[in-house]
Amino acid sequence: MPAFRVQRADHAAHHAAIHGVRQQVFVVEQGVPADLERDALDPVCTHVLARDADGAPIGTGRLLPDGRIGRMAVLAAWRSQGVGEAMLEELVRAAAMAGLPQVHLHAQLPACAFYARQGFIPEGGHFEEAGIAHQQMQRTLGAAAPIEGVQAAVAVTTAVIRRARRRLWVHSRQLDPGLLDAAPVQAALRRFATRAHDKQLRVIVHDAAAIQAAGAPLLALLQRLPSVVQIREVSDPVDRALASACIANDAGDYYFRLMGHRLEGEAGIALPSRSQPLEQQLQRVWDRSRDCSELRALGI
């Protein structure tokens, strides 16, 4: 991957570089009126600036004092290379250091999946801004956030999977049709399972026979990558009585539902104080459960 660096940038000292990137992306590429590209808030914002190995500006973004992230722009030649993600992480870090309870943003619709992968949850419907369709999204900092509805559930599940480093846990009675088989979630699972490093996806279910009959998409990964994807069925009576569902990773992220047949629950991004006890509980359930060898033998 080409080298780049992301740093916070004082607007007065680096305004030419900041606005040069924004002019190219927003005004030239997207047709946003030039007088909307700049506003009176720029001097009071926290800005980040991405530069290539030669020091040329390639991306920028800003954080308003109220926690709104905006003006995220990456030059076309540098997209899909981690620049936007690195800038977003730095802006979230700045918000956390400032003690803000959450960050929020107006995402252009094609960028919603990118922000969802970083733990931002969609809120409300679509709206227009500068003639472009947008979606309000927010991420809670340092605390759990309530999750309601399919859109939010898919977004946070995708985030937990995408942010996993080497270990991912899934506890679901029957692999959650409508959630774990959603396209963004399936793409994130495939990416995690096929990345070139040691990793482990452990799945705990309650009804292997029903999953086998339904032919859940996750089983294809189990058959293809049995050393990465492992599935066990609960056998202890106490575990079988559990009604909850959960997905957690080793990066401090989780999504927990007290009633596993519903999508309403809570989620935490970069919240190890909540995720680690869940991981420990899942490990105990895993140790008491039986290996589902019959699912690995499916001809799917």
Side-chain angles (χ1 to χ4, degrees):
M1 181 178 292
F4 65 88
R5 66 182 188 278
V6 174
Q7 297 175 318
R8 297 183 199 179
D10 177 74
H11 182 259
H14 300 278
H15 67 276
I18 290 169
H19 292 289
V21 173
R22 283 164 40 173
Q23 173 79 15
Q24 178 61 34
V25 173
F26 297 131
V27 180
V28 176
E29 289 187 31
Q30 299 181 355
V32 173
D35 58 346
L36 295 182
E37 188 277 308
R38 303 180 185 225
D39 60 25
L41 295 173
D42 271 325
V44 300
C45 289
T46 297
H47 295 264
V48 295
L49 192 60
R51 295 183 183 272
D52 66 15
D54 296 323
I58 59 173
T60 188
R62 74 181 191 180
L63 171 70
L64 277 70
D66 68 354
R68 178 176 169 182
I69 290 173
R71 300 300 199 273
M72 289 284 291
V74 178
L75 297 183
W78 281 87
R79 291 170 196 162
S80 301
Q81 299 186 58
V83 178
E85 179 179 357
M87 293 194 309
L88 188 59
E89 288 178 351
E90 185 61 30
L91 289 171
V92 170
R93 189 176 299 113
M97 291 178 63
L100 294 174
Q102 67 176 29
V103 286
H104 57 98
L105 52 84
H106 295 172
Q108 294 184 18
L109 296 192
C112 285
F114 163 76
Y115 290 111
R117 292 194 297 267
Q118 311 308 318
F120 284 77
I121 307 302
E123 293 185 327
H126 300 164
F127 60 93
E128 277 203 4
E129 194 171 73
I132 299 172
H134 284 73
Q135 169 73 57
Q136 168 84 10
M137 304 183 78
Q138 66 88 21
R139 174 174 159 180
T140 300
L141 303 178
I147 302 297
E148 297 181 359
V150 174
Q151 188 180 25
V154 169
V156 76
T157 300
T158 303
V160 174
I161 298 169
R162 286 288 299 237
R163 288 169 52 86
R165 296 169 182 150
R166 298 182 182 274
R167 187 175 63 253
L168 182 65
W169 290 95
V170 173
H171 175 214
S172 170
R173 298 186 71 85
Q174 294 185 24
L175 295 184
D176 287 318
L179 178 60
L180 293 182
D181 56 3
V185 174
Q186 281 292 301
L189 285 168
R190 286 192 297 271
R191 177 181 180 273
F192 173 79
T194 57
R195 275 158 54 188
H197 60 64
D198 294 336
K199 61 270 179 183
Q200 191 173 66
L201 168 55
R202 287 185 167 180
V203 183
I204 302 171
V205 300
H206 286 234
D207 194 341
I211 292 168
Q212 184 173 16
L218 183 57
L219 298 184
L221 273 181
L222 170 64
Q223 187 181 45
R224 178 185 171 194
L225 300 166
S227 64
V228 175
V229 185
Q230 302 173 33
I231 299 185
R232 290 189 180 183
E233 182 183 57
V234 295
S235 51
D236 187 283
V238 174
D239 299 335
R240 294 191 68 83
L242 289 173
S244 61
C246 179
I247 180 168
N249 66 24
D250 57 352
D253 311 324
Y254 74 94
Y255 169 32
F256 176 80
R257 293 173 285 143
L258 186 61
M259 302 303 294
H261 66 286
R262 301 176 62 89
L263 295 178
E264 290 80 3
E266 70 167 45
I269 300 297
L271 201 61
S273 62
R274 298 278 191 99
S275 70
Q276 288 176 358
L278 286 172
E279 280 198 274
Q280 293 165 3
Q281 179 183 353
L282 290 169
Q283 181 67 62
R284 290 191 290 270
V285 175
W286 178 267
D287 292 340
R288 296 190 293 261
S289 300
R290 74 167 187 90
D291 180 53
C292 295
S293 57
E294 71 275 20
L295 296 183
R296 287 198 300 270
L298 279 175
I300 56 175

